[in-house]
């Protein structure tokens, strides 16, 4: 049995609280011999800044490079709002994405039947929802140069962020989207702003070329990103896989998150290129929710997105598909029994805290495993 090497980076805010529930699951998997895990832990974000004055240290980056997967919590909070931009908590996250080459961000939005009433939309709009947003993660406006604020005098300043995409960046993220679509319902929707942005023009052109060369069997549709946001709210079940750039992916995936009832329900995977020797890619898995400093330390955080992110690691990086299914089935079973954290509470539900929800998911896993 192979040993999976993980790096756990809990981060800030509710990160340590939800990561603790993943650690309990890992401990049980090791004890039950269902799989074998070894893990290191490190600081990232505000916690790393407090200790080392950087968003992430070189030592922690070395551990990330040496791991099979990075399991990441959350970073940031008001405490660090006034520190220099270059060492802000988010710099640790951005460096992990960039240095590990994690160009493909997979964000599923699944509405469990038991949570259909928790969405702000009508039940028939969201019940049974299962879509995947593929966000390009290492290019675009978040990384483009120049990125400056210039003092023009006379109390005027000019801020510049640069949106840049090269053909190869669009090709590789498009392939991720097409490959996922082939494994699902064989439909891909590409979203950009070709009507006002040159990068959108190139994006549209390159996605079409990849489709014609390599994926003619997949149905391809195009939508302007703003119209796509509207359609996600109007009738989200028209989509299967959505592929889009860094900026639009950031926003559209948060829209999709609320279709499921709560940001606390949405996991994500960030994947790099496949190594031709090991046949694996560098990868990081994290919940979409932020550090939620307003509820940190209160035991109110929903650990499901963190647990589901670990489930995605089992599926996409560690070749443990059966265990990934076990995680998904356990989450669905707990919700079906009416257990809810405060963010997804509903009439007649039993409200539980972070540890109780994590324990309930683990108990279901144990029961399902026999």
């Amino acid at each position: 049995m192979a040993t999976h090497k993980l790096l756990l980076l809990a981060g800030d805010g509710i990160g340590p609280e939800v990561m603790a529930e993943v650690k309990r699951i890992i401990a049980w998997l090791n004890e039950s011999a269902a799989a074998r895990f070894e893990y290191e832990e490190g600081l990232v974000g505000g916690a790393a800044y407090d200790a080392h004055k950087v968003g992430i240290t070189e030592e922690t980056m070395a551990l990330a490079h040496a791991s099979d997967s990075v399991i990441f919590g959350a970073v940031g909070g008001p405490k660090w709002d006034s520190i220099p931009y270059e060492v802000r908590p988010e710099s640790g996250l951005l460096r992990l994405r960039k240095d590990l080459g994690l160009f493909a961000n997979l964000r599923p939005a699944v509405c469990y039947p038991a949570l259909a009433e928790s969405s702000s939309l009508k039940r028939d709009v969201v019940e049974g929802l299962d879509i995947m947003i593929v966000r390009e993660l290492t290019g675009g406006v978040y990384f483009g140069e120049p990125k400056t604020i210039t003092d023009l005098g006379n109390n005027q300043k000019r801020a510049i962020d640069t949106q840049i995409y090269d053909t190869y960046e669009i090709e590789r993220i498009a392939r991720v989207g097409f490959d996922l679509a082939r494994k699902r319902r064989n439909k891909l929707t590409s979203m950009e702003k070709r009507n006002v942005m040159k990068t959108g023009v190139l994006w549209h052109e390159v996605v079409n070329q990849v489709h014609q060369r390599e994926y003619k069997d997949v149905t391809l549709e195009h939508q302007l990103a703003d119209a796509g946001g509207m359609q996600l709210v109007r009738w989200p079940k028209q989509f299967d896989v959505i592929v889009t750039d860094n900026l639009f992916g950031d926003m559209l995936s948060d829209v999709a998150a609320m279709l499921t009832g709560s940001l606390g329900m949405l996991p994500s995977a960030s994947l790099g290129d496949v190594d031709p020797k090991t046949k694996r890619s560098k990868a990081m898995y994290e919940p979409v929710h932020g550090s939620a400093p307003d509820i940190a330390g209160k035991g109110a955080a929903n650990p499901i997105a963190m647990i589901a992110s670990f489930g995605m690691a089992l599926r996409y990086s560690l070749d443990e598909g059966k265990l990934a299914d076990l995680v998904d089935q356990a989450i669905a079973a707990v919700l079906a029994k009416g257990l809810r954290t405060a963010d997804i509470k509903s009439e007649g539900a039993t409200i539980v805290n972070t540890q109780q929800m994590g324990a309930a998911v683990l108990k279901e896993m144990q029961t399902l495993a026999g």
Side-chain angles (χ1 to χ4, degrees), residues 66-145:
S67 70
D68 293 323
S69 289
V70 177
I71 312 299
F72 186 97
V75 294
K79 176 182 177 182
W80 302 283
D81 281 350
S82 61
I83 68 174
Y85 181 85
E86 295 74 17
V87 292
R88 69 201 188 284
E90 292 77 11
S91 67
L93 175 59
L94 293 177
R95 183 173 177 194
L96 282 161
R97 290 172 177 172
K98 194 69 173 179
D99 287 13
L100 296 178
L102 307 179
F103 70 89
N105 185 220
L106 279 54
R107 294 190 172 187
V110 177
C111 185
Y112 294 93
L115 288 186
E117 297 295 342
S118 296
S119 173
S120 56
L121 301 184
K122 294 178 180 178
R123 173 180 282 274
D124 66 313
V125 175
V126 296
E127 189 171 25
L129 178 69
D130 180 2
I131 61 178
M132 178 74 78
I133 294 181
V134 180
R135 168 189 173 190
E136 200 289 321
L137 202 59
T138 58
V141 73
Y142 291 172
F143 293 97
E145 295 290 345

Side-chain angles (χ1 to χ4, degrees), residues 26-272:
I26 292 173
W28 172 72
L29 291 173
N30 279 334
E31 291 167 6
S32 64
R36 185 179 297 123
F37 298 90
E38 293 178 355
Y39 64 81
E40 301 266 8
E41 296 186 74
L43 299 177
V44 70
Y49 178 81
D50 287 347
H52 305 290
K53 302 306 177 188
V54 292
I56 191 167
T57 65
E58 297 299 330
E59 291 77 12
T60 303
M61 282 303 309
L63 290 174
H65 281 286
S67 70
D68 293 323
S69 289
V70 177
I71 312 299
F72 186 97
V75 294
K79 176 182 177 182
W80 302 283
D81 281 350
S82 61
I83 68 174
Y85 181 85
E86 295 74 17
V87 292
R88 69 201 188 284
E90 292 77 11
S91 67
L93 175 59
L94 293 177
R95 183 173 177 194
L96 282 161
R97 290 172 177 172
K98 194 69 173 179
D99 287 13
L100 296 178
L102 307 179
F103 70 89
N105 185 220
L106 279 54
R107 294 190 172 187
V110 177
C111 185
Y112 294 93
L115 288 186
E117 297 295 342
S118 296
S119 173
S120 56
L121 301 184
K122 294 178 180 178
R123 173 180 282 274
D124 66 313
V125 175
V126 296
E127 189 171 25
L129 178 69
D130 180 2
I131 61 178
M132 178 74 78
I133 294 181
V134 180
R135 168 189 173 190
E136 200 289 321
L137 202 59
T138 58
V141 73
Y142 291 172
F143 293 97
E145 295 290 345
K147 181 184 291 290
T148 62
I149 297 178
T150 303
D151 192 334
L152 302 178
N154 297 320
N155 294 318
Q156 296 294 308
K157 294 182 179 180
R158 175 176 295 148
I160 297 175
D161 291 290
T162 306
Q163 169 92 339
I164 297 176
Y165 272 109
D166 292 339
T167 299
Y168 81 92
E169 294 176 295
I170 304 170
E171 286 178 336
R172 66 184 183 180
I173 196 66
R175 290 189 182 101
V176 171
F178 281 120
D179 286 337
L180 279 169
R182 275 180 171 168
K183 297 173 183 176
R184 292 168 54 92
R185 299 192 295 277
N186 221 44
K187 178 182 177 182
L188 179 71
T189 303
S190 176
M191 294 188 184
E192 28 65 13
K193 283 287 288 181
R194 64 188 180 277
N195 58 335
V196 293
M197 298 174 68
K198 289 295 185 182
T199 49
V201 173
L202 181 63
W203 187 282
H204 184 269
E205 175 185 312
V206 171
V207 171
N208 274 334
Q209 291 171 347
V210 173
H211 180 240
Q212 287 299 309
R213 287 197 310 263
E214 305 170 40
Y215 298 94
K216 287 185 177 180
D217 57 303
V218 179
T219 299
L220 172 64
E221 294 181 349
H222 295 275
Q223 285 197 8
L224 297 178
D226 52 343
M230 181 270 289
Q231 291 294 336
L232 272 172
V233 177
R234 189 188 73 83
W235 190 246
K237 287 187 280 188
Q238 67 183 281
F239 299 112
D240 180 19
V241 180
I242 296 170
V243 64
T244 189
D245 74 8
N246 206 340
L247 175 61
F248 296 135
D250 195 356
M251 294 185 288
L252 292 170
S253 59
D254 278 8
V255 171
M258 288 312 300
L259 302 178
T260 70
S262 170
L263 276 172
M265 293 298 301
L266 204 65
S268 77
S270 299
L271 310 177

Side-chain angles (χ1 to χ4, degrees), residues 17 21 58 67 100 200 264 319 322:
E17 297 171 67
E21 304 312 309
E58 297 299 330
S67 70
L100 296 178
D319 297 323
K322 290 184 179 179

Side-chain angles (χ1 to χ4, degrees), residues 324-338:
D325 291 341
L326 191 65
V327 171
D328 292 343
Q329 291 163 10
I331 292 171
V334 167
L335 295 173
K337 290 182 177 180

